[in-house]
Amino acid sequence: MSMTILSAAKEVSALEQPDIASIAKAISSGSLRGARGNSGVILSQLFRGFTKVIGKEQELTVPVVAAAFQKAVETAYKAVMKPKEGTILTVARGAADKAAQMAEETDDLVCFLEEVIKEAERVLKKTPDMLPVLKQAGVVDSGGQGLVVILQGTFDALLGREIDTTIEAGLSPEVRKITKETEAEIKFGYCTEFIIVLNDPLTDQEERKYKAFLESIGDSIVVVADDEIVKTHVHTNDPGLAIQEALTHGSLSKIKIDNMREEHQERLIKDAQKLAAQQAEAKTAQKQELSKEQEHKDIGFIAVSVGEGLSEVFRGLGADHMIEGGQTMNPSTEDILNAIAQVPADHIFVLPNNKNIILAANQAAALSEEKQVHVIPTKTIPQGITALINFIPEQSAEENESRMLEEIKNVKTGQVTYAVRDTVIDDKEIRQDDYMGIGDKTILAVGKELEQVTLEMAESMIDDDAAIVSIYYGEEVKEDDATAIAEKIMAGHDDLEVEVQYGGQPIYYYLISVE
């Protein structure tokens, strides 16, 4: 949701002579293209409806804002095929209903917004009673909570309150868990700072990749970018790696590395320049290759993937373009639109492979004007793989779409990860750091041993109709361990075909599909 707002803010800040109409248009366009995840897409639709009303006005009065709230909710509900109560939509509707009521009672915008926010908070607290999964986990809806924070921030800005927007830099809890290190154990000895004078402005995706790389080698990361320069600060044990990566984007200035001998610094920079030049040359060659006219075809495929191995599987099955995704970084509507533009085909099939990306994919399909976009609502990586396997080139896009939609229904998916806190889900008591086997609809297994949880999850997915079990092991898992699990599954099911492939995915130790 924050990235969705930042995308809107970026378009607003680019306006040379802003007025309410142009600001409203920029908010709508920016949030629409920058929307990420279900909550981000719904938020963009709330903004879209809200700005349709205020964009026609010269003054924001209580009646105007109340009407804008109503239009926002109407637009958002229309955008979601099967709206669920107990979500951000419910909180938004509660706020809109209160806005309509308050419009008849006061002309004071401050009083009006105070009551609207109080109602949004009241509805938010009730969301666990509307969605059992929230009640079991002991939390309110995260999207609804995000909306309340946005409303509170807007109110604070209206009153001129100073807002603390600082965020403590460092590794995310997910990264700390994956690397098996706690903050107390992480020691990075070199404070490294520099400015990159860019060859070309960084795209949003390039900036995300750059930040992700820095996270992988250190902490205390600060990256501030515009179209010409990128200021970087990172604590790391190998400044040369940071410099090497930075040099692929441009030249460096104002380099400062504390606690490092001058001659060592010079050597690092020289080595980094050499390696960076090689990488930059490779990137240029790749861009030149992509810029060459490609053979136009009838049908092309875009797949969202995470992990080197899984991406290779998709490429091997004929995917034309990969979009980096995953639980912690959902691609935006604009990311998907850019991918659609790069595939030289009349019909584009998009495989979101994550239920939290389907709305953004549908939004991209609606915005695409020159190509016919078909979104296959794959909720998991194995469903996306099955969809591609069932593609028949000789048949039409419509025939293939129909077959894919039917075939993905036959795929059961299980994912093994870890618990980040104590909770109770589906009557299963889960402790922090427990391993969890998550099925398509419920928690299938919980325990302290990874292999035991994985086997228990797989067994619960296998039935009399099962024929193939596919195991994709993640970046933290050894191939021998994955093979051992496959052998134990085959030992109990002689009629099953079990295959093991490297997925390389983070966070999830295993992805297992049963067909």
Side-chain angles (χ1 to χ4, degrees):
M1 294 177 76
S2 63
M3 289 183 176
T4 302
I5 292 174
L6 287 172
S7 179
K10 186 176 181 181
E11 288 217 18
V12 171
S13 65
L15 297 174
E16 294 183 358
Q17 295 181 324
D19 55 24
I20 195 166
S22 62
I23 290 172
K25 183 177 179 181
I27 291 172
S28 178
S29 174
S31 62
L32 196 68
R33 291 179 174 273
R36 297 174 187 276
N38 290 347
S39 294
V41 172
I42 293 171
L43 179 63
S44 73
Q45 294 298 318
L46 289 170
F47 281 149
R48 183 184 179 195
F50 193 90
T51 55
K52 277 184 180 179
V53 174
I54 67 168
K56 299 175 182 178
E57 305 292 336
Q58 294 302 313
E59 182 181 358
L60 298 188
T61 61
V62 166
V64 169
V65 176
F69 268 105
Q70 293 293 334
K71 188 65 175 178
V73 171
E74 177 188 328
T75 305
Y77 266 89
K78 284 182 179 178
V80 181
M81 292 185 64
K82 296 180 180 179
K84 282 186 178 181
E85 295 308 322
T87 65
I88 181 177
L89 289 171
T90 309
V91 176
R93 192 182 66 212
D97 290 346
K98 188 65 175 180
Q101 176 191 330
M102 291 302 299
E104 298 178 357
E105 299 178 8
T106 182
D107 292 327
D108 186 331
L109 191 59
V110 172
C111 176
F112 166 83
L113 287 175
E114 279 182 331
E115 294 303 314
V116 169
I117 293 171
K118 285 180 183 178
E119 179 64 13
E121 291 173 334
R122 188 187 70 82
V123 175
L124 175 66
K125 290 177 181 177
K126 292 175 62 178
T127 55
D129 297 326
M130 303 177 199
L131 278 178
V133 66
L134 297 178
K135 195 174 189 69
Q136 285 187 330
V139 296
V140 296
D141 177 68
S142 58
Q145 186 170 26
L147 180 60
V148 169
V149 170
I150 291 166
L151 292 173
Q152 290 171 332
T154 304
F155 185 62
D156 287 342
L158 175 66
L159 297 180
R161 292 174 180 165
E162 186 173 344
I163 302 170
D164 183 7
T165 59
T166 59
I167 299 174
E168 185 178 351
L171 294 175
S172 66
E174 291 85 356
V175 175
R176 285 201 298 271
K177 173 66 181 177
I178 291 170
T179 57
K180 304 298 185 184
E181 295 172 328
T182 63
E183 289 181 358
E185 294 169 333
I186 299 175
K187 295 180 181 179
F188 296 105
Y190 300 98
C191 176
T192 306
E193 294 181 348
F194 49 78
I195 291 176
I196 310 172
V197 181
L198 294 171
N199 295 328
D200 299 296
L202 292 184
T203 65
D204 290 342
Q205 186 174 12
E206 286 173 335
E207 185 175 340
R208 288 197 304 273
K209 284 184 177 179
Y210 179 57
K211 290 177 180 177
F213 175 80
L214 294 178
E215 280 194 340
S216 72
I217 64 168
D219 68 0
S220 297
I221 295 158
V222 178
V223 175
V224 180
D226 62 20
D227 289 344
E228 297 179 355
I229 65 169
V230 178
K231 184 170 183 178
T232 300
H233 172 280
V234 59
H235 290 175
T236 178
N237 284 330
D238 197 336
L241 292 177
I243 293 169
Q244 175 184 326
E245 180 66 20
L247 282 167
T248 65
H249 299 292
S251 59
L252 301 188
S253 68
K254 297 186 178 180
I255 300 171
K256 184 173 76 72
I257 304 173
D258 290 337
N259 298 326
M260 194 174 198
R261 295 191 306 272
E262 189 67 27
E263 60 269 22
H264 185 42
Q265 178 179 336
E266 292 176 358
R267 181 177 60 80
L268 283 171
I269 294 171
K270 186 180 294 184
D271 290 346
Q273 285 176 329
K274 182 179 179 181
L275 290 170
Q278 295 173 350
Q279 290 187 3
E281 186 178 345
K283 283 185 178 180
T284 300
Q286 185 180 24
K287 287 181 179 180
Q288 290 174 345
E289 186 66 27
L290 288 173
S291 65
K292 293 178 181 178
E293 185 175 355
Q294 300 178 19
E295 182 182 353
H296 198 82
K297 55 185 179 179
D298 184 40
I299 297 175
F301 288 92
I302 296 169
V304 179
S305 180
V306 56
E308 178 186 351
L310 292 172
S311 296
E312 282 302 313
V313 171
F314 278 114
R315 291 189 188 95
L317 291 172
D320 299 279
H321 190 95
M322 309 302 302
I323 300 177
E324 291 188 17
Q327 290 299 101
T328 57
M329 181 55 73
N330 294 318
S332 67
T333 299
E334 188 167 20
D335 290 335
I336 300 172
L337 276 171
N338 289 338
I340 290 169
Q342 292 181 42
V343 177
D346 297 321
H347 293 267
I348 307 292
F349 281 79
V350 179
L351 306 173
N353 301 330
N354 185 319
K355 65 181 180 181
N356 206 36
I357 301 175
I358 293 173
L359 279 180
N362 287 334
Q363 194 154 269
L367 292 172
S368 179
E369 297 177 351
E370 297 181 358
K371 300 176 182 180
Q372 184 67 39
V373 180
H374 308 258
V375 178
I376 305 299
T378 50
K379 297 179 180 179
T380 64
I381 292 284
Q383 283 189 346
I385 291 171
T386 294
L388 267 176
I389 288 173
N390 283 277
F391 170 65
I392 299 177
E394 293 76 21
Q395 295 190 353
S396 68
E398 290 73 18
E399 289 172 321
N400 274 295
E401 181 176 14
S402 178
R403 180 183 306 98
M404 290 177 185
L405 291 172
E406 283 301 314
E407 291 297 332
I408 64 174
K409 295 177 183 178
N410 300 323
V411 182
K412 297 179 183 178
T413 302
Q415 306 175 91
V416 181
T417 185
Y418 56 88
V420 296
R421 64 183 180 85
D422 295 349
T423 186
V424 176
I425 301 178
D426 300 331
D427 298 325
K428 289 184 171 62
E429 187 173 335
I430 303 168
R431 297 295 182 187
Q432 183 175 346
D433 294 332
D434 277 355
Y435 295 107
M436 299 186 300
I438 306 171
D440 291 319
K441 296 181 179 179
T442 186
I443 304 292
L444 300 177
V446 176
K448 300 292 184 184
E449 299 296 328
L450 178 57
E451 182 179 282
Q452 177 187 345
V453 169
T454 305
L455 286 169
E456 184 179 337
M457 180 190 74
E459 288 296 333
S460 67
M461 296 164 58
I462 297 170
D463 55 23
D464 293 339
D465 296 326
I468 301 173
V469 176
S470 299
I471 301 174
Y472 304 93
Y473 60 95
E475 63 180 2
E476 286 193 76
V477 177
K478 296 178 180 177
E479 183 178 3
D480 290 347
D481 294 336
T483 301
I485 288 175
E487 289 173 350
K488 290 181 180 180
I489 292 174
M490 286 187 289
H493 303 276
D494 294 336
D495 55 337
L496 278 183
E497 178 183 341
V498 181
E499 55 184 31
V500 176
Q501 294 194 58
Y502 173 63
Q505 68 275 4
I507 301 178
Y508 293 101
Y509 301 99
Y510 291 101
L511 297 181
I512 295 182
S513 68
V514 176
E515 301 177 63

